[in-house]
Amino acid sequence: MFRGLYPRLAGWCRRLVDDDGTAHEIAAEAFTRLWARWTKVDEPTGFLYVTAANLVRDHWRRMDRERRALRRAEQEESVRQTAEGDEPSVRLLVQSLPERLRDPVLLYYFADLPVREVAARLGRAEGTVKSDLHTARELLRATLGGFHDPIR
């Protein structure tokens, strides 16, 4: 069974993850999980593909988290480098905000839309947009440190 199914399963995984090593790890793990439940599985082929699909999904989630963390670290580093030198640029500071805070800031302060309009465009309640704007201002204030005039 292993000889017959493993190459197809690994090839299927390879097309999904675009990496030979990861595809073989996922296919091998699917077979390991099948072996652990051998007496309880009625349809081994289906079990293998469903298990492999779940493992591929886990891999995608992990890669997405790593990409987001790397992007966040790069943004923070660029802000930190700017803060160590001259006065940090507003563009870099706004870029360093999390997306859920950045979008309201861009729409409210840069596109000059009222809170009601920002809320409608983002599909959020007006109170949520006001709270997000407040949180963003606090984060920017903390990041600016001594570079700013008091924000009121």
Side-chain angles (χ1 to χ4, degrees), residues 31-99:
F31 269 98
T32 302
R33 292 183 183 191
L34 173 64
W35 179 253
R37 293 166 186 80
W38 184 253
T39 59
K40 299 175 187 166
V41 175
D42 293 331
E43 178 53 48
T45 303
F47 179 88
L48 284 170
Y49 277 90
V50 168
T51 302
N54 289 336
L55 292 169
V56 165
R57 216 171 298 118
D58 291 344
H59 171 75
W60 288 341
R61 286 185 195 117
R62 188 172 39 259
M63 296 304 293
D64 187 48
R65 282 191 302 270
E66 289 174 7
R67 275 191 296 274
R68 281 185 282 151
L70 182 60
R71 196 168 36 246
R72 197 168 36 250
E74 288 170 352
Q75 288 173 345
E76 289 171 3
E77 182 60 28
S78 68
V79 169
R80 195 175 302 111
Q81 286 175 355
T82 302
E84 290 171 358
D86 298 330
E87 187 173 320
S89 78
V90 173
R91 181 182 60 80
L92 287 175
L93 291 172
V94 172
Q95 277 182 331
S96 71
L97 290 171
E99 187 175 343

Side-chain angles (χ1 to χ4, degrees), residues 20 73 86 109:
D20 284 334
D86 298 330
Y109 289 108

